Amino acid sequence: MIIPPFSKQAMTDFKEKYEELLKENSILRRENEFLRAKSGIDHDLRTSGQREKTSRENVLLEHLIDSIPEAIAIIDLEDRVVMVNREFTDLFGYTPGEAVGRYADELIIPEDLKHDSVKPSEIAFENHRVTRNTIRCNKAGKRINVSLIATNVLIDNEIVASLGIYRDISIEKKNQTIQEILYNISTAALNQTDIKEIYPTIVQELSKIWDTNNFFIALYDKASDTLSMPFFSDEKDQFERVPARKTISKWAIGLKKSVLLKVNDMKCLENSGDIALVGAPCKVWMGVPLKAEKEIIGVMAFQDYHDEDKFSQEDVTVLEFIANQIAIALQRRIMIDNVIMASRKAEEAAQSKQQFMSTMSHEIRTPLNEVIGITNLLLQGNPREDQMDYIKTLRFSGNHLLTLVNDVLDYNKMESGKIEFEKTSFNLSDFLKDIQRTYSFRSKSKNLEFDITRQNELPDDLIGDPIRLNQILSNLLSNALKFTQKGGIHVFLKALERTAGSTKIEFIVKDTGIGIPKDKHDYIFESYTQASPDTTRHYGGTGLGLAICKRLVELQGGHIEVESETGKGSAFRFVLSFGIAEKSEITQKGDAPESYAGLEGKRILVAEDNKINFFVANKFLNGWGVKVTHAENGRIALSLLEKEDFDLVLMDLHMPVLDGIEATRIIRNSDDPRIRDIPVVALTAAIMSETHDRIDNLNINDYVLKPFKPRDLFEKILKNVR
Ligand code: ADP
């Protein structure tokens, strides 16, 4: 639409007229009149005076409409274009001459979106105004994202035409798509477990902007000078891995810049020897390097075999931006994968170390049990005075070694979470008496004092895990003994809280030994650590005791801490909660029997595969007057039980053919009460053995830890025998 230039007078007239029109609020009506005039609806109204006035108004309105920066089309009720403005011509490429009279649908609505045309009836339904983002196409057939406002033109409430206002939102849309693409690719890079799974996402996302039928991602390996294609899609070629040599990709990687090459550019490069084309020749090649931390890791490229104008410089810019983000996402993913891999390896290494330690400890423990067992036998056999010293040293060293091995095994079990705590009733006074007996004896030999003080009223009958409590206190007391040369060791117990069913008890193990520097207070609770590098040399130890104590206390919901200074002794304090038992729950232990009397004539079946262990047990049992029958595995034990009567079974839990756990399960399920109810005392290498969860519910009457202490074995048999 050509607008004639305006004179000054015409402009003043226009201004006045416009204000007048505004005053009358009749712009719309006048516009409609204009429309009618345009479409020849209202010929009759045009008298000559009016005609002059109307023509000025027309010019004014046409100017107004042309000045608006949005494309406008006025469409009559038959869907024919009546008028378009200048922006419409700019956006869609149709001059008014080309557009007016054509069906609007034919003009700018793409074939596949014909259903998307907005009819006056639909606009009327939406209160005469419809707003939507959609796609229209220009004269050349290029699709354009537009925001459309369609309104009806009404005269006396009757629809006479409709008005379409189009705004080009391609750039907004593209930016939004790019954001979306980047977001989806970064998310995929973080979420996919395998980096290979990211490439299809990249392709799918890029296809939102470009045709990805001829697209590839090539990663460059400098060492072998090869390009590997984690993604390759091409109408004509198929590559997975190619020598990089003189490919365009390698050339682009070397250039470190994005490139857009058309046929002639490629020919020039080929002639100059910069590139040697591989595969079918294309019309256009657009590639961008994948940069990760200054290093180019590969290239991402689009090709087209038909149209050399398929990609523009603008496409290169956009692709470059996306490629940078992709490279960062890939790099981040590779880093995460490396971290995951490293931690997995570390975990595996830790696990195999743990496995090795467990196996070794187990393996060492078996012969060690035998040595200690034989030593105990030797001590029973009235050795000569000079032999006595050797045997006692042998027993001491054996026991010490066994403690170390058990510590390693225990710690590994705790690390792998295979630890359960018992909730049994026990008598605190009896428990403390045992501690007192053991440690006063050991303290005396070092000329140290030893006492246990109850600082307030403590319940005597507790529910908890006495074996673990003993383990914690023994570790602390052994340390106190080890690191104290003069003075003494004192244990204090105090009830911190008490309710009807439970109590919280504070235990303090205090010594007057060498003390621990303040900066080492946390450190010593870690595994395999000692306060000073020469501790092992002077005092021995593995640095595991306190780590075990800490774990044992914390796993039971308590806490442990130390108060100490170099040269001023140490005080280890821990707090644990216990249940309070009914009196009747405790089986009164009474004093230990003075002699080994009471088992004479009893028939005991010993199921034990280890010959030396059996030899030792047999010696003791015979000494106590017991009639012993030997079974080398669970199966033999069961068949002996069928045939003979016994008063008790001493059952090793680890045995070939049929182990003690299975054998006990069969015994407890037997229909014959003579077999089902027989007392079973288990012989086990460690209470925390991995079989622990399998022994629950087995109804084993008691446990004797190997290597057994003769007194312990005797008491447990006496307590349970028929
Ligand atoms: P270990 O005694 O086998 O070396 P622990 O974990 O039991 O390992 O103890 C770690 C370190 O803490 C000891 O090596 C020692 O340096 C210090 N320590 C522990 N208890 C005491 C104590 N009662 N007095 C002085 N130092 C102690």
Side-chain angles (χ1 to χ4, degrees):
M1 186 173 299
I2 297 145
I3 305 290
F6 285 90
S7 68
K8 244 187 168 173
Q9 184 54 45
M11 283 306 286
T12 322
D13 288 349
F14 158 65
K15 218 175 149 207
E16 276 171 19
K17 190 67 204 161
Y18 185 60
E19 276 162 8
E20 187 190 317
L21 284 169
L22 275 180
K23 240 182 253 159
E24 289 170 16
N25 195 17
S26 62
I27 282 194
L28 189 60
R29 192 151 46 80
R30 294 286 165 179
E31 190 179 303
N32 287 338
E33 280 171 16
F34 156 71
L35 283 169
R36 281 196 225 161
K38 268 271 182 201
S39 56
I41 296 169
D42 214 353
H43 288 287
D44 299 342
L45 274 175
R46 286 189 273 170
T47 60
S48 64
Q50 277 171 326
R51 201 176 298 135
E52 197 190 322
K53 201 175 158 201
T54 316
S55 102
R56 275 175 61 199
E57 284 168 8
N58 281 355
V59 173
L60 160 74
L61 285 169
E62 278 175 14
H63 176 73
L64 255 180
I65 293 173
D66 266 347
S67 310
I68 293 172
E70 326 243 303
I72 297 177
I74 298 169
I75 294 145
D76 69 15
L77 293 178
E78 286 165 24
D79 201 29
R80 281 177 198 275
V81 175
V82 175
M83 198 216 90
V84 293
N85 71 347
R86 187 178 290 176
E87 182 61 27
F88 187 94
T89 308
D90 289 349
L91 182 60
F92 294 110
Y94 295 103
T95 63
E98 288 168 331
V100 171
R102 300 262 308 267
Y103 285 107
D105 276 12
E106 279 176 13
L107 207 61
I108 55 169
I109 301 191
E111 263 314 306
D112 55 321
L113 290 175
K114 290 291 181 218
H115 60 274
D116 191 46
S117 81
V118 194
K119 302 283 177 234
S121 54
E122 186 192 337
I123 309 175
F125 191 70
E126 304 264 332
N127 210 9
H128 300 293
R129 185 188 168 93
V130 167
T131 310
R132 74 168 62 134
N133 288 349
T134 178
I135 292 172
R136 294 291 181 256
C137 59
N138 69 7
K139 193 171 158 188
K142 184 177 170 221
R143 294 162 83 92
I144 305 167
N145 282 293
V146 292
S147 118
L148 164 66
I149 300 173
T151 57
N152 279 338
V153 180
L154 303 167
I155 294 180
D156 297 334
N157 244 348
E158 204 178 301
I159 304 167
V160 293
S162 59
L163 187 74
I165 304 173
Y166 305 85
R167 188 163 59 83
D168 182 0
I169 54 164
S170 311
I171 295 177
E172 281 164 53
K173 195 80 192 163
K174 198 163 194 171
N175 288 342
Q176 193 186 334
T177 313
I178 292 170
Q179 290 301 329
E180 226 175 80
I181 292 175
L182 295 180
Y183 174 78
N184 291 343
I185 292 176
S186 322
T187 313
L190 284 178
N191 293 346
Q192 299 293 6
T193 41
D194 187 344
I195 193 158
K196 283 191 211 98
E197 288 163 20
I198 299 167
Y199 297 110
T201 312
I202 292 177
V203 179
Q204 185 195 332
E205 291 300 316
L206 292 182
S207 69
K208 288 179 182 167
I209 304 188
W210 297 285
D211 165 9
T212 46
N213 280 332
N214 296 295
F215 167 75
F216 66 85
I217 298 172
L219 299 179
Y220 180 55
D221 179 39
K222 212 171 182 177
S224 59
D225 192 37
T226 48
L227 291 165
S228 61
M229 278 76 168
F231 185 86
F232 191 93
S233 158
D234 198 286
E235 283 171 28
K236 308 204 174 195
D237 297 320
Q238 182 55 48
F239 297 119
E240 269 182 22
R241 196 178 189 86
V242 289
R245 283 184 214 143
K246 293 211 159 181
T247 53
I248 312 183
S249 299
K250 164 102 183 268
W251 178 77
I253 289 170
L255 211 61
K256 297 186 176 157
K257 275 202 302 211
S258 310
V259 284
L260 180 65
L261 300 173
K262 300 195 175 181
V263 180
N264 283 341
D265 305 322
M266 284 182 266
K267 267 190 194 138
C268 284
L269 285 170
E270 201 166 21
N271 291 340
S272 64
D274 286 323
I275 60 170
L277 290 174
V278 177
C282 61
K283 285 270 167 55
V284 60
W285 196 95
M286 169 172 77
V288 296
L290 289 169
K291 271 187 221 155
E293 288 179 3
K294 293 182 201 148
E295 213 193 323
I296 312 275
I297 56 169
V299 73
M300 220 166 63
F302 285 88
Q303 307 178 71
D304 197 79
Y305 291 103
H306 314 287
D307 176 9
E308 74 165 7
D309 292 321
K310 180 101 174 203
F311 308 111
S312 66
Q313 202 54 49
E314 193 204 328
D315 287 319
V316 177
T317 315
V318 175
L319 182 62
E320 197 173 342
F321 178 65
I322 296 178
N324 284 339
Q325 303 301 314
I326 290 178
I328 292 170
L330 288 181
Q331 188 75 0
R332 199 183 305 149
R333 178 72 230 185
I334 291 168
M335 267 164 57
I336 293 173
D337 283 354
N338 288 344
V339 172
I340 293 173
M341 186 87 80
S343 81
R344 210 173 280 159
K345 270 193 190 148
E347 223 167 77
E348 276 167 19
Q351 240 166 28
S352 58
K353 182 189 113 194
Q354 214 171 47
Q355 189 59 42
F356 172 78
M357 297 285 241
S358 290
T359 316
M360 277 311 287
S361 314
H362 245 298
E363 293 305 310
I364 295 171
R365 215 164 43 178
T366 311
L368 203 52
N369 285 342
E370 297 166 4
V371 171
I372 295 169
I374 297 280
T375 317
N376 283 336
L377 267 185
L378 286 174
L379 280 170
Q380 292 274 309
N382 291 330
R384 290 195 316 260
E385 197 65 23
D386 58 326
Q387 287 172 329
M388 190 67 142
D389 281 347
Y390 296 142
I391 298 168
K392 277 191 175 161
T393 314
L394 190 61
R395 187 173 64 169
F396 176 81
S397 302
N399 279 328
H400 182 61
L401 189 53
L402 191 69
T403 314
L404 295 186
V405 170
N406 281 343
D407 273 0
V408 173
L409 198 63
D410 268 9
Y411 190 72
N412 280 338
K413 295 265 164 56
M414 276 185 253
E415 284 290 275
S416 54
K418 285 183 193 157
I419 174 167
E420 277 178 37
F421 292 92
E422 297 225 3
K423 279 206 180 332
T424 49
S425 321
F426 67 99
N427 183 283
L428 184 64
S429 296
D430 288 347
F431 176 87
L432 293 176
K433 254 185 232 157
D434 280 348
I435 299 264
Q436 175 84 42
R437 201 178 302 135
T438 314
Y439 288 92
S440 358
F441 178 72
R442 288 176 64 185
S443 302
K444 225 178 262 163
S445 66
K446 270 188 99 175
N447 268 332
L448 296 172
E449 286 169 27
F450 180 82
D451 58 49
I452 300 177
T453 313
R454 294 176 177 218
Q455 290 185 309
N456 58 5
E457 261 306 292
L458 283 163
D460 229 7
D461 303 314
L462 300 178
I463 301 173
D465 194 329
I467 294 177
R468 298 284 164 224
L469 181 61
N470 186 26
Q471 201 177 354
I472 299 165
L473 280 170
S474 297
N475 262 313
L476 297 180
L477 287 168
S478 301
N479 277 346
L481 267 172
K482 186 161 68 171
F483 295 108
T484 307
Q485 306 311 333
K486 59 174 193 279
I489 295 151
H490 306 272
V491 180
F492 300 95
L493 276 85
K494 189 162 137 189
L496 294 184
E497 273 173 36
R498 180 162 175 178
T499 62
S502 74
T503 178
K504 206 178 240 187
I505 302 179
E506 175 193 72
F507 298 82
I508 298 177
V509 176
K510 205 166 174 181
D511 65 53
T512 51
I514 60 168
I516 304 157
K518 280 214 163 13
D519 61 336
K520 291 287 189 311
H521 285 191
D522 287 338
Y523 179 70
I524 51 167
F525 286 103
E526 288 169 24
S527 51
Y528 304 105
T529 55
Q530 298 185 318
S532 99
D534 55 5
T535 306
T536 306
R537 192 154 35 88
H538 289 134
Y539 301 97
T542 55
L544 269 180
L546 288 180
I548 291 175
C549 286
K550 186 172 157 74
R551 293 287 284 209
L552 287 177
V553 170
E554 286 177 354
L555 286 170
Q556 293 182 86
H559 65 272
I560 183 166
E561 62 202 9
V562 61
E563 220 175 84
S564 177
E565 259 179 72
T566 315
K568 295 194 175 160
S570 313
F572 284 85
R573 172 183 178 275
F574 67 94
V575 178
L576 278 181
S577 293
F578 295 89
I580 298 177
E582 300 278 322
K583 263 259 176 304
S584 58
E585 286 180 41
I586 310 271
T587 31
Q588 286 301 321
K589 196 173 155 195
D591 283 336
E594 290 298 314
S595 66
Y596 290 101
L599 295 181
E600 298 80 4
K602 297 285 178 197
R603 291 150 304 171
I604 293 184
L605 174 64
V606 181
E608 165 67 84
D609 62 310
N610 183 304
K611 286 199 171 63
I612 299 179
N613 281 348
F614 172 71
F615 172 74
V616 176
N618 191 37
K619 278 272 172 195
F620 281 105
L621 293 170
N622 281 334
W624 303 329
V626 171
K627 285 187 189 147
V628 176
T629 308
H630 183 206
E632 275 152 5
N633 61 50
R635 175 85 49 229
I636 298 172
L638 287 177
S639 69
L640 283 168
L641 275 171
E642 297 271 337
K643 286 183 237 150
E644 296 176 37
D645 284 336
F646 294 99
D647 299 313
L648 186 139
V649 183
L650 207 50
M651 181 82 83
D652 179 26
L653 292 182
H654 285 104
M655 281 185 295
V657 187
L658 185 71
D659 71 20
I661 296 173
E662 273 321 301
T664 311
R665 200 181 308 283
I666 295 169
I667 291 173
R668 293 298 179 233
N669 288 332
S670 165
D671 293 332
D672 181 351
R674 192 182 53 89
I675 296 175
R676 189 181 58 222
D677 301 332
I678 189 148
V680 175
V681 171
L683 284 168
T684 162
I687 196 68
M688 216 192 307
S689 111
E690 52 285 342
T691 48
H692 196 270
D693 27 342
R694 287 176 63 207
I695 0 191
D696 279 351
N697 310 324
L698 262 191
N699 240 338
I700 287 178
N701 299 60
D702 229 322
Y703 296 92
V704 174
L705 287 187
K706 286 197 284 188
F708 59 82
K709 295 188 180 106
R711 163 80 45 204
D712 186 33
L713 181 68
F714 179 82
E715 280 177 18
K716 296 221 163 121
I717 293 176
L718 188 68
K719 189 171 117 193
N720 294 292
V721 76
R722 264 177 178 165

